[in-house]
Amino acid sequence: MKKSHLFSLVFYYLLLVSVSSDVIHDSCDKAAKGDPNIKFDFCVSSFEGNPKAKTATGVADLVKVAIETAMANATSIGSIISKLLDNKTLDTYARHCLEDCSELYSGAGSSIQSGGKAFEGKDYGTANAEISSAMDAPDTCEEQFKEKKGYVSPLTKENNNFFQLLAIILSFMNLVPK
């Protein structure tokens, strides 16, 4: 391969990486400024390690990546809950809360999947409603542990991150040109 071709390929790759990095940073900056639930650093780190995000050319691409990430996250949290439920020393109240959380995250996964399909079909109203409904899972899961004195959710970090990821999706969907 000639040096000029190699140089062109390297230049194109660096340009593509630079453009996607700008899309991520610009989109996360707008999202964080527009929603107090979104932290800029969390937003950026949610995308920078994802190979699909590195090829994003616009915010719509990032919405798709975030939806995939949220689906995987819901599944992962479901696995964490299953492991917590394996603990035979859990009392009845904690077990009940975790079982509810499991159902909530299962439903959230379905809502995210429906929201993703609606977004792909440019049905932004339905996409927004489905993603918004998924936000009930981390909030309800977290709050039910607080209903009984002395209980602390073992899923606080996961609930907060999941909520923030869904907030990012909603914010990014609002940035997509209609």
Side-chain angles (χ1 to χ4, degrees), residues 29-42:
D29 185 54
K30 289 176 186 171
K33 286 179 178 171
D35 187 336
N37 294 307
I38 299 172
K39 306 287 184 272
F40 176 79
D41 290 339
F42 177 87

Side-chain angles (χ1 to χ4, degrees), residues 13 39 71 78 89 116 129 145 157 172:
Y13 173 77
K39 306 287 184 272
M71 286 290 302
T89 63
F145 279 96
K157 180 181 178 188
F172 281 11

Side-chain angles (χ1 to χ4, degrees), residues 65-75 109 112 131 162 165-166 169:
V65 170
I67 287 171
E68 288 177 13
T69 302
M71 286 290 302
N73 201 289
T75 301
I112 294 165
I131 300 301
F162 189 69
L165 185 57
L166 295 174
I169 295 170

Side-chain angles (χ1 to χ4, degrees), residues 11-12 18 23 29 53 90 97 105 117 121 131 136-137 142 159 168:
F11 177 76
Y12 176 73
S18 174
V23 169
D29 185 54
L90 274 179
C97 288
Y105 274 98
K117 288 179 183 174
I131 300 301
D136 290 340
E142 191 66 27
N159 287 330
I168 290 167

Side-chain angles (χ1 to χ4, degrees), residues 61-169:
D61 294 334
L62 292 179
V63 170
K64 294 171 191 171
V65 170
I67 287 171
E68 288 177 13
T69 302
M71 286 290 302
N73 201 289
T75 301
S76 174
I77 294 169
S79 295
I80 291 168
I81 294 168
S82 292
K83 287 178 185 167
L84 291 169
L85 286 168
D86 285 343
N87 181 351
K88 303 298 181 207
T89 63
L90 274 179
D91 68 35
T92 305
Y93 184 75
R95 182 169 299 283
H96 174 73
C97 288
L98 287 170
E99 288 169 347
D100 283 352
C101 290
S102 180
E103 287 181 34
L104 289 163
Y105 274 98
S106 177
S110 296
S111 293
I112 294 165
Q113 187 173 22
S114 296
K117 288 179 183 174
F119 182 79
E120 288 285 332
K122 298 190 186 313
D123 181 358
Y124 300 125
T126 299
N128 189 302
E130 291 289 345
I131 300 301
S132 293
S133 74
M135 292 180 101
D136 290 340
D139 188 45
T140 303
C141 178
E142 191 66 27
E143 289 302 314
Q144 70 181 352
F145 279 96
K146 295 177 183 176
E147 290 176 5
K148 192 167 183 181
K149 188 174 177 143
Y151 282 83
V152 177
S153 170
L155 300 166
T156 298
K157 180 181 178 188
E158 290 82 0
N159 287 330
N160 290 340
N161 289 346
F162 189 69
F163 186 89
Q164 193 172 172
L165 185 57
L166 295 174
I168 290 167
I169 295 170

